[in-house]
């Protein structure tokens, strides 16, 4: 029998956590033949609710679920972790400046990065979901000098999936017919969903749409502002779709992208496409055997260049702000 894979989830008592844990325990994160052991990290006020969720996990009698540990100590939560989903974060509250937000999240992601550095398994893979996701990943990564930088990733898969459906609905295609779509930059309103290299049933997507006004005035803002639209409609932020994207992100990282396709992940930049080295920015990536590579050699047109640069500039500003705060 296989040794269980240790999966740590922070913010386990939150709404994404509630939508995520049952899917991990049922085998959708790593595969239907991979046993998992869950480590739930919460702040003290969240522990009781996390225990309630753990009771429900028990009540599912998932054959793959080999154990659940609940703690408010990051050193315990990340001990031997193979996969870490960093979901818990400090949300922006009314009147909060960006500097306050970054500082509050630094207080979460710096110690978690250090705990990962000191206690996680050698093959640790980290996905940061909690916002501001790219910069929180940068903070955690900086606190973990002994872990290869590439193991820290940020989630833009929800944006990617949102873009797939918007494009499918516009063209009448099936989502499964769309390949090579890319989210570039920051998981924020400046992100750039790029369809110039995308294909719909083998044909170029931008040419198939043939409408740059729709692209600029409908598609891009709809994808970029979808989170706000969900809050407006649901009275709460995206939860099940965010959990679904986290499952997709890790599943793709571990199991690989399909031949001829790629996905979008926030990963540490090696300078590709003029994105400053070291930033955690979304790129087109292929994955294989648990490793990923940034897709190289794409032609970036003027329309795309302006938008990628704007989002990367925002990431640079966030990096400079957390550097000034001594967080990286
Ligand atoms: P909730 O407020 O429902 O849950 C957050 C949970 O994190 C709470 O239970 C809280 O007690 C816990 N927490 C806070 N600090 C912690 C710490 N230091 N250690 C462990 N747990 C801690 O938020 P939820 O709706 O679940 O969203 C979680 C995060 O995901 C937010 O930052 C949100 O902005 C972000 N999102 C990111 C998305 C993405 O695409 N990257 C999309 C969805 C979502 O907006």
């Amino acid at each position: 029998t296989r040794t269980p894979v240790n999966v740590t989830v922070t913010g386990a008592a939150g709404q994404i956590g509630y939508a995520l844990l049952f899917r991990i325990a049922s085998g959708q994160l790593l595969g239907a033949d991979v046993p998992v052991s869950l480590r739930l990290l919460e702040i003290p006020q969240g522990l009781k609710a996390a225990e309630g969720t753990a009771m429900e996990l028990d009540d599912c009698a998932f054959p793959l679920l080999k154990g659940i540990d609940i703690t408010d100590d990051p050193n315990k939560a990340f001990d031997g972790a193979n996969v870490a989903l960093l979901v818990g974060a400090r949300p922006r509250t009314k009147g909060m400046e960006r500097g306050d937000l970054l500082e509050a999240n630094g207080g979460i992601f710096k110690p978690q990065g250090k705990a990962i550095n000191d206690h996680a398994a050698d093959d640790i893979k980290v996905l940061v979901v909690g916002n501001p996701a790219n910069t929180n990943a940068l903070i955690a990564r900086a606190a973990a000098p002994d872990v290869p930088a590439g193991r820290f990733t940020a989630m833009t898969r929800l944006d990617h999936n949102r873009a797939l459906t918007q494009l499918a609905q516009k063209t009448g295609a099936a989502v499964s017919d769309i390949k090579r779509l890319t989210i570039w930059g920051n998981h924020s309103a400046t992100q750039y969903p790029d369809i110039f290299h995308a294909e719909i049933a083998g044909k170029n997507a931008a040419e198939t749409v043939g409408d740059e006004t729709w692209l600029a005035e409908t598609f891009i803002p709809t994808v970029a502002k979808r989170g706000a639209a969900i809050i407006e409609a649901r009275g709460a932020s995206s939860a099940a779709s965010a959990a679904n994207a986290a499952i997709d992100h890790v599943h793709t990282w571990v199991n690989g992208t399909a031949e001829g396709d790629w996905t979008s992940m926030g990963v540490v930049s090696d300078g590709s496409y003029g994105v400053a080295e070291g930033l955690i920015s979304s790129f087109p990536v292929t994955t294989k055997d648990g490793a990923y590579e940034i897709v190289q050699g794409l032609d970036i047109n003027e329309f795309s260049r302006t938008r990628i640069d704007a989002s990367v500039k925002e990431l640079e500003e966030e990096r400079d702000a957390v550097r000034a705060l001594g967080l990286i």
Side-chain angles (χ1 to χ4, degrees), residues 158-239:
L158 179 55
D159 310 301
H160 182 101
N161 288 344
R162 286 167 171 166
L164 280 177
T165 296
Q166 292 303 316
L167 185 57
Q169 289 178 352
K170 167 74 175 172
T171 58
V175 278
S176 52
D177 282 338
I178 304 176
K179 308 249 175 311
R180 302 186 174 208
L181 191 130
T182 307
I183 304 293
W184 297 91
N186 201 1
H187 168 68
S188 76
T190 67
Q191 66 173 271
Y192 171 49
D194 177 0
I195 67 165
F196 286 101
H197 302 98
E199 289 175 0
I200 305 177
K203 292 205 187 90
N204 182 274
E207 283 165 23
T208 303
V209 169
D211 181 353
E212 210 164 275
T213 309
W214 177 78
L215 204 57
E217 290 173 20
T218 304
F219 175 72
I220 296 171
T222 299
V223 173
K225 295 180 191 162
R226 186 71 165 180
I230 299 285
I231 293 173
E232 178 65 29
R234 210 172 80 86
S237 57
S238 314

Side-chain angles (χ1 to χ4, degrees), residues 117-324:
N117 189 69
D118 295 348
H119 301 286
D122 287 345
D123 67 347
I124 180 71
K125 289 182 169 62
V126 182
L127 169 61
V128 177
V129 175
N131 281 318
N134 301 53
T135 297
N136 287 340
L138 189 72
I139 294 168
R141 195 216 119 186
D146 303 330
V147 177
R151 304 291 185 75
F152 285 86
T153 66
M155 188 165 96
T156 52
R157 186 63 172 263
L158 179 55
D159 310 301
H160 182 101
N161 288 344
R162 286 167 171 166
L164 280 177
T165 296
Q166 292 303 316
L167 185 57
Q169 289 178 352
K170 167 74 175 172
T171 58
V175 278
S176 52
D177 282 338
I178 304 176
K179 308 249 175 311
R180 302 186 174 208
L181 191 130
T182 307
I183 304 293
W184 297 91
N186 201 1
H187 168 68
S188 76
T190 67
Q191 66 173 271
Y192 171 49
D194 177 0
I195 67 165
F196 286 101
H197 302 98
E199 289 175 0
I200 305 177
K203 292 205 187 90
N204 182 274
E207 283 165 23
T208 303
V209 169
D211 181 353
E212 210 164 275
T213 309
W214 177 78
L215 204 57
E217 290 173 20
T218 304
F219 175 72
I220 296 171
T222 299
V223 173
K225 295 180 191 162
R226 186 71 165 180
I230 299 285
I231 293 173
E232 178 65 29
R234 210 172 80 86
S237 57
S238 314
S241 57
N244 179 69
I247 296 277
D248 282 353
H249 177 114
V250 173
H251 192 273
T252 301
W253 188 354
V254 171
N255 294 294
T257 40
E259 190 62 42
D261 199 4
W262 63 61
T263 189
S264 304
M265 283 168 66
V267 301
V268 62
S269 175
D270 57 0
S272 293
Y273 300 101
V275 179
E277 211 177 319
L279 287 179
I280 295 193
S281 183
S282 189
F283 285 100
V285 301
T286 54
T287 59
K288 199 183 173 194
D289 299 330
Y292 62 80
E293 280 177 25
I294 297 172
V295 174
Q296 295 298 324
L298 301 177
D299 283 328
I300 305 298
N301 64 19
E302 210 37 55
F303 184 97
S304 298
R305 188 73 263 169
T306 320
R307 287 167 174 81
I308 295 171
D309 288 351
S311 195
V312 169
K313 183 164 174 282
E314 183 184 50
L315 284 173
E316 289 173 348
E317 288 165 5
E318 290 182 14
R319 176 202 58 200
D320 293 347
V322 297
R323 190 176 277 157

